[in-house]
Amino acid sequence: MFQGPIDCLLKTVKNEGVLGLYKGMASPLVGIAAVNSLLFWAYSYGKTLQTGSSDVTPTLGQIAVAGAGAGIVNSVLASPVELLKVRLQVQYNTASEFNTAFRGPIPLARHLIQKFGARGIAWGFWATVAREIPAYAAFYAGFEFTKRRFADALANGDANKLGTLPLMLSGSAGGVSLWMVSYPLDVIKSRVQNGKAPPKGFGYIAATAREIAAEQGIKGFFRGFSPTVIRSIPAAGVTFATYELVMRALDGNAK
């Protein structure tokens, strides 16, 4: 359908108008606060479980383990949020495969539950888990590694003295790291969630990977990679900088 991201942009604006670029936005917009809150809470808890105290600086290995665990927990919310987003986004210029153009996540969620029961809203859950484990291991480890390098270079090793820009750049490094290790799994997840019916069992992840490889080769696992990584640079930068600065303020108030 599209020859690349620019072709997709131009055709979408031409056929659906500028608002076509925002299809599926309502689901992550509503769910992002809950998703990120759960993610960062699980990450912090995972670090404390390993170190025994929030005052102990974890190793990068412990950071990665905590991130992987947070990814598993986060899948509970991330999977249905992304299911609704990707199914709304594939409604191009007309109706969906259900012969109905859903105008938002609530009508779509209601339809999926009515048609498939609880499986309808849990569609692709294990594919989401498979993506989230390496994704958030790399996300947090990439951020911490870069932040510690900035701290050594700019603040005598004290990361709490870093300004907003180094924190944003560190967050961006985490965002790029996330997609570098997990993008093929995200392609698999999106294909699963755009299928005709919820899959059963666990083998569907490998089966979907084989289908993509047979149809498109290795390139099929990286379609859309460039715009996704570019998008992650400001998004992850702002997310991590905000988190770090808010935690500093809370710690200051607590003292």
Side-chain angles (χ1 to χ4, degrees):
M1 181 182 292
F2 303 116
Q3 301 301 312
I6 301 301
D7 183 52
C8 177
L9 170 66
L10 295 176
K11 286 182 178 177
T12 299
V13 173
K14 178 181 178 180
N15 294 323
E16 299 186 342
V18 175
L19 291 180
L21 301 174
Y22 294 90
K23 286 187 302 183
M25 185 181 72
S27 179
L29 188 65
V30 172
I32 193 65
V35 167
N36 277 346
S37 295
L38 179 62
L39 178 68
F40 277 88
W41 170 82
Y43 167 65
S44 297
Y45 186 69
K47 288 190 297 181
T48 303
L49 276 180
Q50 294 178 87
T51 62
S53 171
S54 59
D55 296 325
V56 177
T57 301
T59 65
L60 288 177
Q62 290 173 325
I63 291 288
V65 170
I72 296 172
V73 174
N74 186 57
S75 299
V76 174
L77 291 181
S79 181
V81 167
E82 294 206 9
L83 167 68
L84 299 175
K85 179 190 72 173
V86 299
R87 293 193 77 85
L88 288 170
Q89 287 178 334
V90 297
Q91 296 180 144
Y92 185 70
N93 196 35
T94 178
S96 70
E97 68 271 28
F98 295 119
N99 298 318
T100 303
F102 297 99
R103 302 193 62 83
I106 294 177
L108 175 57
R110 186 182 301 117
H111 175 86
L112 292 174
I113 293 171
Q114 289 174 347
K115 188 174 180 69
F116 301 110
R119 290 174 56 231
I121 206 66
W123 194 325
F125 174 76
W126 292 113
T128 304
V129 172
R131 183 199 66 177
E132 300 288 77
I133 293 173
Y136 286 107
F139 187 57
Y140 288 107
F143 167 72
E144 278 293 329
F145 174 82
T146 309
K147 183 180 76 170
R148 293 177 187 186
R149 298 292 78 75
F150 274 126
D152 291 340
L154 304 175
N156 295 320
D158 187 355
N160 288 323
K161 294 181 179 179
L162 288 176
T164 303
L165 181 58
L167 290 175
M168 289 186 69
L169 292 174
S170 300
S172 296
V176 172
S177 299
L178 181 154
W179 290 114
M180 289 291 288
V181 304
S182 69
Y183 194 79
L185 290 166
D186 184 69
V187 171
I188 293 170
K189 178 199 72 69
S190 295
R191 179 155 176 154
V192 168
Q193 291 183 323
N194 277 321
K196 295 187 179 298
K200 297 179 181 179
F202 303 95
Y204 69 83
I205 299 173
T208 303
R210 288 192 295 269
E211 289 175 7
I212 295 171
E215 293 171 8
Q216 305 169 39
I218 296 298
K219 288 183 179 179
F221 293 99
F222 293 94
R223 294 183 64 183
F225 179 74
S226 296
T228 300
V229 170
I230 292 170
R231 179 199 67 186
S232 75
I233 292 173
V238 170
T239 297
F240 267 115
T242 301
Y243 171 76
E244 288 284 318
L245 293 173
V246 168
M247 292 304 294
R248 284 184 198 176
L250 293 175
D251 288 342
N253 291 335
K255 295 175 182 178

